[in-house]
Amino acid sequence: MKKSNKKSIWVFGDYRNYYQNRVTLQLLSKAVDLAKIIKAEVCALIFGHEIDEWIMEYTAHGADRILAIDDPALKSYSTERYLAIIEALAKERDPEIILIGATDFGREFAPRLAKRLKTGLSADCVGLDITEDGLLLQLAPSFGGNMLAEIITERHRPQMATVRPGTFKEIPHNYERKALVERLPLMKNLPKSRVRLIEYERSVEKEHTIENASVIVCGGRGMGNKEKFKRLQELAKLLGGNVGATRPVVYAGWADHDALVGQAGKHIKPKILFSFGISGAIQHTAGLGEANFIVAINKNSQATMMKMADVAIAADASDVLNSLIKELKKRIRE
Amino acid sequence: MLNLVVCLKQVPMVTELPWDEKTGTLRRDLAAGMMNPACKHALEAALQIKEKYFAKITVITMGPPAAEEVLREAMALGADEAILICDRLLAGSDTFATSLVLKEAIKKKCPKFDLILCGAYTADSETAQVGPQLAEELDLPAAAYVEKLEIFGRTLRLRRLVDNFRETLEMEFPALVTISMENYKPRFTKLAGLENAFCGKGVVVLDAAALGIKAASMEQQCSRTKVRKVFLKKAQKENVLIQGTASLVVTEFLDKYQRTISTAIGKSIEEKKLDEKEQ
Ligand SMILES: Cc1cc2nc3c(=O)[nH]c(=O)nc-3n(C[C@H](O)[C@H](O)[C@H](O)COP(=O)(O)OP(=O)(O)OC[C@H]3O[C@@H](n4cnc5c(N)ncnc54)[C@H](O)[C@@H]3O)c2cc1C
Ligand SMILES: Nc1ncnc2c1ncn2[C@@H]1O[C@H](COP(=O)(O)O)[C@@H](O)[C@H]1O
């Protein structure tokens, strides 16, 4: 029962990012749901060196089959080599769907793979489903996430999507699960990469820029004054996030220009955004389209910012801030 | 002399987002356009190379007639040649089709390029796919999200930050890069330059036929993906309202959303109360 005649949903195993984001596990979980509808198997791809840990992990999180290539030549990520490997595998096995995490690597790699396989790809999806015709429904953001598009790949296969980390919930692991593990040899005619990796180091700086922060505490004129505004920093620190600001606040000197969020400033994509005393002018909200979960605090429950929030807290911004800091100090466990 | 090609796109201003509800496509014709921010950074990178080494810059865009504006703006800043690919047949192209068209134009008009620079992504479609797919079309070594470029003879050395890895990469020309918004802050357009650009050298306009693209529209012939529907995101929010005194709203909020918050901050704020009871 080596090769299967069943349809297959492939999930690219982006294990390098395992400790920052668990997008592969999240994709496996969604793939399990989709597979039930189209009666397919879920297959994880793992290329690298000394990868047994990942084989175990992806099995525990829902893969039915693993295609693994374990070779010292694959010790570091390489777009060109990975492309050659998956291209060959996909041409041989015809997967129905390929899902790739929208990490930096995924977003560089997936478009090239789609081009090689002469198929379509939608980018950075925030939702996936199956249509009534059994096609993969890809929900992709555009215009800073202000709009969503439903995209399908009608005729070409595989149907491909990159998916934003954090979109789906992983299934709790189950180390009793079994998967069919196919350990494949490295292709003989693997091309030499034309891109040479001269040096690399793991860096945390990216996590600290506001564009990449997963938690942002944004303040506007409703914070009242500079001293009160500065307390936002304390909340941001507790939550491991960054402080953002609206234009009037930056002009008033309560915050640096670096913190400006909106059309004239930064576009942010936090997992959670706290918005304190901000009215929600379009020039500001243009930078928030990709915020996943918005908590707005404003004394005016009719403010635009309150209407576009997931949770709208109608109260004094400074009071809520102080209470929140106090309460979180009690609750947060590292 | 180095031959640089910069791919530019005109995007609608964010404050105006008209789209056609019936066809699900954007009414770009109705919105005021500007040069896509990441493309500005790509152009800036090319201009800096030109200042340092001997280079010629060709800018190229595929879009409606109005897209000529971004080419003129680029010429005002120092680009030498400009190509506009413009044809109704090309409307509605997805990234698969766009990268194919750009390749045909580059092969026809500047086949001897050394380096192609794209923006990392566009503000409207945000796919970040056109650059990598163009590299694939032209079979080039490529790197995305580049922050810094250096050239040593025929070798390109670059620095970038991807997935928390700071990388230094090298490749030989010809190559393709997409430029991130971290570095290469765009310069301002001088008014004098802008005036010159509008009366100076012309923009070469190519239609689909000139690129060997046949009658049927690209949308049907070549695009792989199809947009079924476009809608505003706001409609999806739950929008829960919490009211009351500060300490009450905070408790209600934290109790109700402890999972969401814990997941987002990567630390647990859950179940502490339970632990305390147990003790
Ligand atoms: C070309 C252009 C570009 C711009 N670009 C940007 C940009 O990039 N970013 C940006 O932010 N702005 C930008 N602006 C400005 C933008 O239009 C708004 O003026 C700005 O975002 C408003 O900031 P705000 O919400 O802090 O202030 P306000 O609009 O004054 O809102 C203050 C809010 O706080 C609430 N409030 C007051 N007191 C309290 C209290 N005690 N407790 C709780 N809530 C309270 C009020 O109800 C109100 O909703 C731009 C404008 C222009 C013309
Ligand atoms: N129509 C176009 N004409 C020229 N270049 C384009 C076009 N669309 C995309 N590009 C290039 O590809 C980059 C990424 O675009 P996108 O894939 O749409 O996010 C842009 O920054 C441009 O450099």
Side-chain angles (χ1 to χ4, degrees):
Chain A
M1 61 165 282
K2 264 239 146 158
K3 265 169 217 159
S4 99
N5 298 320
K6 232 179 164 179
K7 279 185 197 167
S8 189
I9 302 180
W10 287 11
V11 173
F12 175 71
D14 198 348
Y15 56 85
R16 185 173 72 165
N17 286 301
Y18 186 82
Y19 296 103
Q20 288 98 45
N21 78 58
R22 297 164 58 101
V23 68
T24 306
L25 305 186
Q26 295 157 6
L27 287 181
L28 284 169
S29 148
K30 189 66 193 181
V32 168
D33 293 345
L34 300 175
K36 277 188 202 125
I37 309 175
I38 59 167
K39 302 201 170 42
E41 62 167 18
V42 175
C43 171
L45 311 179
I46 313 175
F47 313 130
H49 186 44
E50 294 170 348
I51 52 179
D52 286 359
E53 189 183 352
W54 312 114
I55 295 179
M56 198 172 79
E57 199 63 14
Y58 296 157
T59 304
H61 281 91
D64 303 312
R65 181 185 294 259
I66 308 260
L67 298 183
I69 304 183
D70 193 334
D71 195 289
L74 300 176
K75 208 165 161 213
S76 58
Y77 274 36
S78 155
T79 311
E80 285 177 308
R81 300 194 137 186
Y82 281 24
L83 276 173
I85 294 172
I86 306 193
E87 181 191 6
L89 285 175
K91 285 184 173 159
E92 178 193 321
R93 296 171 185 240
D94 280 328
E96 182 70 9
I97 294 172
I98 302 183
L99 303 177
I100 297 176
T103 58
D104 291 344
F105 179 81
R107 293 193 70 177
E108 178 177 17
F109 167 74
R112 300 191 68 157
L113 181 61
K115 192 95 214 188
R116 277 200 193 182
L117 299 176
K118 301 198 170 17
T119 189
L121 168 71
S122 54
D124 208 22
C125 291
V126 294
L128 295 175
D129 210 336
I130 299 289
T131 67
E132 42 309 338
D133 313 325
L135 295 175
L136 180 69
L137 184 73
Q138 308 146 35
L139 203 60
S142 60
F143 280 104
N146 285 309
M147 288 177 6
L148 290 173
E150 283 185 9
I151 295 171
I152 48 174
T153 307
E154 276 181 317
R155 297 187 306 273
H156 297 87
R157 293 294 174 272
Q159 305 165 80
M160 287 182 60
T162 63
V163 177
R164 180 174 311 172
T167 299
F168 304 118
K169 254 203 196 80
E170 64 189 65
I171 316 172
H173 60 76
N174 169 7
Y175 292 107
E176 308 289 300
R177 275 193 93 250
K178 293 270 176 293
L180 183 69
V181 180
E182 289 189 54
R183 290 177 187 271
L184 306 170
L186 190 63
M187 307 160 50
K188 280 189 202 71
N189 49 353
L190 191 70
K192 198 161 173 271
S193 179
R194 292 171 295 180
V195 178
R196 301 184 291 278
L197 183 61
I198 305 300
E199 57 180 36
Y200 71 98
E201 54 178 347
R202 205 175 256 284
S203 144
V204 286
E205 49 191 302
K206 197 159 184 181
E207 287 159 14
H208 295 313
T209 66
I210 184 164
E211 286 105 322
N212 295 292
S214 56
V215 179
I216 293 176
V217 179
C218 230
R221 196 139 55 174
M223 283 309 295
N225 61 41
K226 189 170 179 175
E227 283 57 52
K228 290 180 177 170
F229 187 91
K230 290 281 174 210
R231 280 214 91 186
L232 293 170
Q233 193 65 53
E234 204 171 323
L235 178 61
K237 210 170 152 198
L238 268 175
L239 300 173
N242 292 48
V243 171
T246 61
R247 198 167 77 160
V249 157
V250 170
Y251 280 6
W254 300 358
D256 288 340
H257 195 273
D258 278 353
L260 179 64
V261 172
Q263 186 186 2
K266 306 275 166 59
H267 287 221
I268 56 174
K269 43 177 194 282
K271 290 188 190 140
I272 187 163
L273 168 70
F274 289 88
S275 173
F276 284 92
I278 293 175
S279 59
I282 177 86
Q283 292 87 356
H284 176 71
T285 57
L288 309 181
E290 295 190 51
N292 196 27
F293 189 80
I294 301 178
V295 185
I297 301 97
N298 196 309
K299 64 179 186 190
N300 173 10
S301 63
Q302 299 305 309
T304 313
M305 199 62 230
M306 296 284 270
K307 300 230 161 99
M308 66 180 284
D310 296 85
V311 183
I313 301 182
D316 180 84
S318 248
D319 291 352
V320 170
L321 175 63
N322 292 336
S323 244
L324 200 54
I325 292 172
K326 205 168 116 202
E327 197 56 32
L328 279 170
K329 277 188 178 156
K330 284 193 238 155
R331 297 194 189 200
I332 289 182
R333 291 183 296 173
E334 296 295 327
Chain B
M1 187 183 65
L2 284 171
N3 237 314
L4 308 177
V5 175
V6 186
C7 296
L8 300 174
K9 189 179 178 193
Q10 189 180 44
V11 296
M13 301 275 249
V14 287
T15 43
E16 305 157 52
L17 307 171
W19 80 93
D20 193 326
E21 294 207 25
K22 278 193 214 105
T23 62
T25 53
L26 293 160
R27 298 291 308 271
R28 285 169 213 274
D29 47 328
L30 297 182
M34 61 174 191
M35 195 190 295
N36 175 56
C39 295
K40 280 191 183 169
H41 287 73
L43 178 62
E44 178 61 33
L47 291 169
Q48 289 189 23
I49 293 173
K50 186 178 165 182
E51 281 161 4
K52 208 160 160 194
Y53 313 91
F54 186 43
K56 185 181 106 181
I57 301 177
T58 306
V59 286
I60 177 165
T61 191
M62 174 179 110
E68 184 178 336
E69 289 163 24
V70 297
L71 298 177
R72 294 283 177 190
E73 188 183 336
M75 294 220 274
L77 289 167
D80 303 284
E81 311 263 336
I83 301 167
L84 171 66
I85 312 163
C86 184
D87 199 314
R88 297 193 79 93
L89 286 180
L90 305 176
S93 294
D94 72 353
T95 66
F96 193 94
T98 302
S99 51
L100 179 86
V101 172
L102 290 174
K103 172 195 75 173
E104 293 299 343
I106 290 169
K107 270 175 59 182
K108 197 170 171 71
K109 288 290 166 188
C110 28
K112 294 221 168 64
F113 67 87
D114 297 297
L115 179 64
I116 299 177
L117 301 101
C118 290
Y121 59 89
T122 51
D124 54 351
S125 50
E126 286 188 78
T127 70
Q129 285 173 191
V130 171
Q133 294 202 320
L134 181 57
E136 200 57 38
E137 283 285 355
L138 290 161
D139 189 21
L140 297 174
Y145 309 110
V146 171
E147 289 175 16
K148 192 86 200 121
L149 293 165
E150 284 175 289
I151 294 164
F152 303 96
R154 301 287 300 162
T155 303
L156 179 69
R157 173 179 297 175
L158 55 90
R159 306 218 343 126
R160 63 174 189 169
L161 188 56
V162 287
D163 295 326
N164 298 313
F165 284 86
R166 182 157 278 300
E167 295 182 343
T168 304
L169 304 174
E170 275 185 8
M171 58 188 89
E172 306 302 314
F173 288 145
L176 182 146
V177 290
T178 80
I179 304 290
S180 84
M181 308 243 280
E182 301 294 323
N183 192 10
Y184 292 119
K185 292 265 162 339
R187 61 193 68 190
F188 288 108
T189 321
K190 288 198 200 79
L191 204 57
L194 204 57
E195 279 163 8
N196 287 342
F198 276 92
C199 49
K201 239 203 265 180
V203 166
V204 176
V205 183
L206 299 175
D207 62 7
L211 298 175
I213 293 161
K214 308 257 161 42
S217 88
M218 282 298 271
E219 190 176 2
Q220 286 144 24
Q221 182 184 323
C222 189
S223 292
R224 278 359 190 205
T225 54
K226 185 171 161 196
V227 176
R228 282 217 318 189
K229 198 166 101 188
V230 181
F231 51 96
L232 278 178
K233 196 178 170 188
K234 279 175 204 142
Q236 294 206 315
K237 296 257 173 192
E238 224 183 298
N239 197 242
V240 176
L241 181 69
I242 306 180
Q243 283 173 296
T245 63
S247 63
L248 281 178
V249 294
V250 165
T251 315
E252 183 179 344
F253 165 66
L254 291 179
D255 287 348
K256 202 161 170 188
Y257 294 99
Q258 48 181 340
R259 282 263 9 212
T260 312
I261 302 167
S262 299
T263 316
I265 69 176
K267 298 175 196 166
S268 174
I269 65 161
E270 292 173 85
E271 290 164 13
K272 186 150 185 181
K273 284 187 178 149
L274 269 181
D275 290 359
E276 276 166 5
K277 270 186 214 143
E278 280 165 13
Q279 281 163 9

